[in-house]
Amino acid sequence: MLRINDLHVYYGAIYAVRGVTLEVGPSEIVTLIGSNGAGKSTILRTISGLQRPRSGSITLNGTELTRMEPDAIVRAGVCQVPEGRHVFANLTVRENLELGGYTLARPSDRQEAIERVLERFPRLRERLKQYAGTLSGGEQQMLAIGRALMARPRVLLLDEPSLGLAPQLVHDIFAIIREINQQGTAVLLVEQNAHMALGIAARGYVLETGSVVLADAAHNLLNNPEVRRAYLGE
Amino acid sequence: MQEFLQQLVNGLVWGSAYALIALGYTMVYGILRLINFAHGDVYMMGAYSALFISGWLTAAGAPVAHSPVWAMVAMLGAMAAAGLLGFFIERLAYRPLRTAPRLTLLITAIGVSLFLQNIAQLAFGSEPRSFPELIASSTILQVGSVTLSNQQAIIIAVSVILALALQVIVHRTSIGRAMRAVSYDREAAALMGISVNRVISFTFVLGSALAAAAATLIALNNPLVTPTMGVQPGLKAFVAAVLGGIGNIYGAMAGGLVMGVAEVMIVGYGSSGYRDGIVFAILIIVLLVRPTGLFGSPVTERA
């Protein structure tokens, strides 16, 4: 479904992504793990068109996304929940959701999508008129995910959704990610919390200084002594 | 007291025109963090557009001077022309520099300003040109010795209508929501599927059209048009936007009104020599005392 082939990206002068090839199948959860600065976020930014690759290609069901503008990539069906959530703090929760549905043509579609998101995140319903900046961290993460779901993506990119959240909330967020996936959305999950990520993913890629050093089924990675030592703190 | 009230009325009239120009500065700043120094010259081009449109209408036999409808047509035409100009300025001069340092953009804006002034001089000559009388002046309201002319009433009414229309666009429409999103966080906005370039273009068109409306309104009272006429109102509106808190729409409106009243008061009670000086006095005071302006929130630089 989403296919990345021999991607090379420079982040300013830094050679951040060095020939990465990876794939996310339909309704699959795939995780990218690796330490800080390994190039995980750069890959997601490049998929969404925020960063231009030096070379390589990104395709969705054969459609080339590589040179598309970010808005066209959203319309093609790839949405991202960026690291640090990036909700529009000065806008209300409802306005944030409406922006998530910016590519939906009709207001009635938008309304329907909001209802769908509120069913998944009932907490947001009570907060619709509040400014997003007044929400707690967990609620902001739910808003960021709900906002990305508004456009009904075929592939959801999640960048560090557990960052800065209490363990119980991390648990909830991962349960929600699994649920979203079970309803047919493919997920590419970037995480520092390798244990949680490998727990819900079907497959994983381990990234080191911009290159994929390991690619395997998630349960194999969980049992891999190298991975356990480097990323699972054992 | 009555003289004071009269000055206040006159000041609010000028101020509402400044407010319209200030809106363009503040919106572009909100979206691009750019002080668009060419904005005053877009205002000037708006005045020439309105002048030519009124000329054509007169030549075509329309009774321009006797019907506010034709003044309205001239204003809408000038708004469209200036909107187009704003679109092309952004597209040709600023967009190629989207990732350049902000200083580069600022210097480019000054360049565009000089370019427009010189183009106007080349194309229209440096001699002042005069508008036909768009709306014959008459007093429509008198309380004691305080009077309000029909021209003044129109300037205030049209400014209020345009400011309200802008509020509706920014707060009630999808593109307005997108403008606020881009202004707050450009990358997150792009991730929503918003075409950031289109929103930026729209912002320039909107701001430029408002400047042209201000130009037409001021021409009701001050019919002379010259290639450098945009410099002073441009600076004053810029200061108005800073006074209100640049990037803040309500601030620009309030700042414009304050500037207008301050200017008229200084001429009325001080000396007309200080007319333009007061502007910079206000700018210096704001920058010293409250750099974020009346309505501005503390600026946090993004990494």
Side-chain angles (χ1 to χ4, degrees):
Chain A
M1 188 166 201
L2 183 72
R3 207 182 261 279
I4 295 174
N5 194 29
D6 195 25
L7 192 72
H8 294 261
V9 190
Y10 282 79
Y11 198 91
I14 301 161
Y15 188 12
V17 177
R18 311 178 174 191
V20 165
T21 296
L22 64 83
E23 193 182 347
V24 182
S27 63
E28 197 182 22
I29 299 182
V30 171
T31 184
L32 263 178
I33 57 178
S35 54
N36 247 335
K40 306 181 304 277
S41 291
T42 306
I43 292 175
L44 291 199
R45 288 174 57 81
T46 311
I47 296 172
S48 283
L50 297 176
Q51 200 79 40
R52 290 278 169 232
R54 185 64 59 91
S55 65
S57 82
I58 301 164
T59 56
L60 180 70
N61 292 332
T63 311
E64 190 72 42
L65 303 181
T66 320
R67 300 281 156 196
M68 278 191 189
E69 291 294 322
D71 56 300
I73 292 169
V74 171
R75 277 194 297 271
V78 181
C79 292
Q80 182 179 161
V81 181
E83 182 181 345
R85 309 184 269 269
H86 286 263
V87 297
F88 301 106
N90 60 334
L91 270 60
T92 64
V93 169
R94 177 182 282 281
E95 286 177 321
N96 269 271
L97 291 176
E98 279 172 341
L99 281 164
Y102 188 77
T103 54
L104 302 176
R106 288 176 305 172
S108 59
D109 292 347
R110 225 170 281 165
Q111 198 46 50
E112 219 179 280
I114 289 179
E115 274 308 313
R116 195 161 40 77
V117 169
L118 292 179
E119 266 166 44
R120 191 184 301 283
F121 300 106
R123 286 283 285 283
L124 296 180
R125 191 186 295 275
E126 307 153 23
R127 308 251 184 271
L128 272 180
K129 289 179 182 155
Q130 257 173 261
Y131 287 105
T134 65
L135 301 184
S136 71
E139 289 166 341
Q140 286 192 11
Q141 188 63 61
M142 289 177 192
L143 177 58
I145 295 174
R147 193 178 62 170
L149 290 177
M150 284 288 295
R152 284 186 176 278
R154 288 193 280 172
V155 181
L156 185 65
L157 313 176
L158 290 154
D159 197 350
E160 305 276 4
S162 74
L163 199 72
L165 297 186
Q168 180 54 44
L169 276 169
V170 173
H171 196 95
D172 293 350
I173 293 283
F174 273 80
I176 288 165
I177 294 169
R178 194 200 294 262
E179 223 177 275
I180 291 166
N181 170 252
Q182 278 162 356
Q183 288 164 14
T185 309
V187 173
L188 179 56
L189 173 65
V190 159
E191 260 300 338
Q192 298 244 2
N193 190 336
H195 202 75
M196 290 293 289
L198 290 171
I200 66 166
R203 294 185 301 114
Y205 294 85
V206 179
L207 215 61
E208 255 170 41
T209 54
S211 307
V212 172
V213 292
L214 260 177
D216 207 338
H219 59 89
N220 288 344
L221 290 176
L222 270 175
N223 295 323
N224 181 313
E226 284 284 302
V227 173
R228 296 184 77 90
R229 193 172 44 75
Y231 302 106
L232 300 174
E234 288 178 21
Chain B
M1 184 61 195
Q2 294 214 323
E3 194 199 333
F4 176 80
L5 285 176
Q6 183 67 57
Q7 300 285 14
L8 190 65
V9 168
N10 297 347
L12 290 174
V13 170
W14 276 108
S16 51
Y18 288 152
L20 287 183
I21 312 173
L23 285 171
Y25 273 109
T26 225
M27 285 194 294
V28 164
Y29 184 85
I31 296 265
L32 280 187
R33 304 290 182 269
L34 162 71
I35 308 289
N36 178 17
F37 276 117
H39 192 57
D41 305 288
V42 171
Y43 161 87
M44 174 271 293
M45 286 294 192
Y48 274 103
S49 307
L51 174 73
F52 292 135
I53 293 168
S54 332
W56 294 329
L57 288 172
T58 312
V64 171
H66 305 293
S67 160
V69 174
W70 292 108
M72 181 76 97
V73 171
M75 184 179 90
L76 292 175
M79 287 172 77
L84 210 62
L85 177 65
F87 174 84
F88 281 112
I89 289 173
E90 190 277 323
R91 192 76 187 75
L92 300 175
Y94 302 147
R95 189 172 301 179
L97 299 171
R98 195 55 51 80
T99 54
R102 267 195 249 159
L103 186 61
T104 312
L105 214 56
L106 194 70
I107 292 166
T108 305
I110 295 171
V112 172
S113 164
L114 294 173
F115 177 77
L116 289 177
Q117 283 172 33
N118 285 287
I119 282 287
Q121 205 157 64
L122 200 66
F124 314 135
S126 52
E127 288 297 304
R129 298 206 187 190
S130 185
F131 259 90
E133 186 171 55
L134 287 176
I135 292 168
S137 177
S138 64
T139 298
I140 58 162
L141 189 69
Q142 182 153 17
V143 179
S145 68
V146 181
T147 64
L148 182 72
S149 77
N150 58 341
Q151 293 174 345
Q152 290 179 316
I154 287 171
I155 293 174
I156 291 181
V158 173
S159 301
V160 168
I161 290 168
L162 289 174
L164 287 176
L166 182 69
Q167 282 304 306
V168 171
I169 290 173
V170 170
H171 288 282
R172 296 269 175 274
T173 67
S174 187
I175 182 87
R177 217 161 27 232
M179 284 171 72
R180 284 182 289 150
V182 170
S183 161
Y184 187 77
D185 188 334
R186 194 190 292 176
E187 285 200 341
L191 290 177
M192 301 299 102
I194 294 167
S195 167
V196 173
N197 279 332
R198 203 171 301 163
V199 169
I200 292 172
S201 291
F202 181 77
T203 306
F204 270 85
V205 169
L206 213 55
S208 304
L210 290 176
T216 318
L217 291 172
I218 285 181
L220 293 177
N221 229 312
N222 270 39
L224 283 189
V225 177
T226 68
T228 53
M229 66 178 282
V231 177
Q232 285 296 337
L235 276 175
K236 286 170 192 167
F238 163 62
V239 175
V242 173
L243 171 64
I246 191 138
N248 183 304
I249 287 182
Y250 297 107
M253 294 193 226
L257 294 177
V258 171
M259 290 304 294
V261 170
E263 188 180 324
V264 168
M265 291 293 175
I266 214 81
V267 174
Y269 294 102
S271 148
S272 60
Y274 294 122
R275 180 171 196 148
D276 297 330
I278 182 75
V279 178
F280 299 100
I282 291 178
L283 179 61
I284 290 165
I285 292 168
V286 172
L287 292 180
L288 285 175
V289 178
R290 195 176 157 81
T292 55
L294 298 174
F295 294 79
S297 43
V299 180
T300 45
E301 285 286 325
R302 265 179 249 149

